Amino acid sequence: MDRIELQGDVELSRIVYGMWRLCEDNDRSPGHVQAKIEACLAQGITSMDQADIYGDYGAEEVLGGALKASPALRDQIEIVTKCDIVAPAGRHADARVKHYDTSQAHILSSVETSLSLMATDHVDLLLIHRPDPLMDACETGAALDELVASGKVRAIGVSNFKLHDWTLLQSSMKSPLATNQIEISLLHNAPFTNGDIAYLQERGIPPMAWSPLGGGDLFGRKHNKLRDALNFVADMKGVDEAAVAIAWLLAHPARIMPVIGTNRLDRIASIGNARNVEIDRQTWFELYTAALGHEVP
């Protein structure tokens, strides 16, 4: 499995395992979670994507249970987590309204809680989960720099940021922002033309892609032409449609890191198949055209 250098000695595997559905599994035992991680490691997938809010603020603790039961796992993986969304659930059940909090107090407290729940002394990558319209960039930037200086966070990034959100926060930070995790898929392809990817690519910053399979909609009846195109390539390559959809992202020169989440061990074990699928230029555009519903201009 290829690896992507973010900054310094911080690297992620080219494909990232997303843990947002961890709490939806009926079996959340440490042994079962460990089996998922080991299925990833067998393919060279070492990076685990978390967020404080996942599972109504419960997913980090589920991961932590596996790491407590098998401490040696921690040295084999990179942990990505996120903060700033406050929703009326879990430990924030008393919140009157869903909102974002990028204050220094909230960021530092959130990271301390994440470290405790996941039974670790650091996270490899911390992302600000959503742009905060009330953000004080100087305060937020100082908090993030403090976390890097303390060693509790090795690298900082963002999620769902637009160019102006990125430049505002970066202007108030000493630490370089390492990535932007945004929605990218065959169905959500606007980032290829609206500047989201171009901005990062120009600066040599690899993007992360959440929901790279369109939340499963790629394979629904609403998108018959796209499904047929995926099936055609999948049959030629001897893989499933999901592997083709992920390979389509991997073929882009921006070094996109897809974040793939599933609770089924058999599907986890096949995530890496996408690395074996070569997508040439015309195949890339055939799939893109099917997704657009018309030929390119």
Side-chain angles (χ1 to χ4, degrees):
M1 177 70 65
D2 296 344
R3 298 187 64 76
I4 298 295
E5 181 179 325
L6 295 184
Q7 54 182 255
D9 60 350
V10 180
E11 295 182 344
L12 298 184
S13 52
R14 183 66 191 275
I15 296 176
V16 178
Y17 179 56
M19 292 187 157
W20 66 87
R21 293 175 175 164
L22 212 55
C23 289
E24 297 176 12
D25 198 334
N26 291 330
D27 187 352
R28 296 187 288 275
S29 66
H32 191 55
V33 175
Q34 180 177 347
K36 295 176 183 180
I37 295 173
E38 289 178 343
C40 288
L41 292 176
Q43 306 167 76
I45 299 170
T46 61
S47 303
M48 309 292 139
D49 183 76
Q50 275 278 0
D52 59 352
I53 194 175
Y54 289 167
D56 287 341
Y57 300 97
E60 288 181 325
E61 188 171 12
V62 174
L63 171 59
L67 296 181
K68 287 177 183 177
S70 183
L73 280 178
R74 180 62 187 96
D75 292 335
Q76 301 176 62
I77 64 173
E78 300 86 37
I79 295 177
V80 180
T81 197
K82 312 174 191 71
C83 69
D84 96 329
I85 301 178
V86 181
R91 62 178 178 266
H92 294 298
D94 60 347
R96 298 193 310 276
V97 62
K98 183 179 181 181
H99 62 281
Y100 308 133
D101 191 342
T102 52
S103 67
Q104 181 181 41
H106 179 80
I107 291 173
L108 298 182
S109 174
S110 180
V111 169
E112 290 294 343
T113 300
S114 293
L115 294 176
S116 176
L117 292 176
M118 292 190 290
T120 184
D121 62 356
H122 73 280
V123 295
D124 298 280
L125 176 63
L126 175 71
L127 308 180
I128 296 298
H129 206 157
R130 291 277 177 180
D132 175 11
L134 202 57
M135 180 178 72
D136 179 333
C138 293
E139 180 181 353
T140 302
L144 296 173
D145 283 336
E146 179 181 337
L147 287 168
V148 173
S150 71
K152 294 177 181 179
V153 172
R154 296 180 66 207
I156 299 292
V158 295
S159 183
N160 302 297
F161 272 42
K162 303 302 287 185
L163 185 156
H164 49 273
D165 302 309
W166 175 288
T167 54
L168 173 61
L169 179 57
Q170 186 66 89
S171 70
S172 296
M173 291 181 63
K174 297 177 182 177
S175 307
L177 293 172
T179 188
N180 190 6
Q181 186 177 127
I182 57 178
E183 184 178 7
I184 318 172
S185 69
L186 272 160
L187 290 182
H188 193 82
N189 51 58
F192 291 104
T193 55
N194 69 7
D196 287 347
I197 290 176
Y199 177 81
L200 298 172
Q201 194 174 1
E202 179 185 358
R203 287 154 182 79
I205 298 166
M208 301 177 74
W210 63 264
S211 199
L213 300 178
D217 288 346
L218 277 176
F219 317 116
R221 294 181 179 179
K222 293 181 179 179
H223 308 287
N224 287 334
K225 290 184 178 180
L226 177 55
R227 187 179 59 186
D228 290 345
L230 286 167
N231 280 328
F232 180 78
V233 178
D235 288 343
M236 283 198 307
K237 304 293 185 179
V239 296
D240 60 18
E241 301 95 323
V244 175
I246 297 302
W248 185 80
L249 293 176
L250 296 177
H252 195 276
R255 299 179 297 152
I256 297 168
M257 294 176 282
V259 182
I260 307 173
T262 175
N263 280 317
R264 286 180 47 176
L265 286 173
D266 59 333
R267 290 182 178 172
I268 294 172
S270 67
I271 289 174
N273 289 345
R275 297 297 296 137
N276 302 321
V277 179
E278 183 178 349
I279 302 290
D280 62 29
R281 180 173 291 271
Q282 290 198 63
T283 302
W284 197 93
F285 274 93
E286 285 172 343
L287 293 169
Y288 184 48
T289 299
L292 292 174
H294 55 79
E295 68 177 14
V296 295

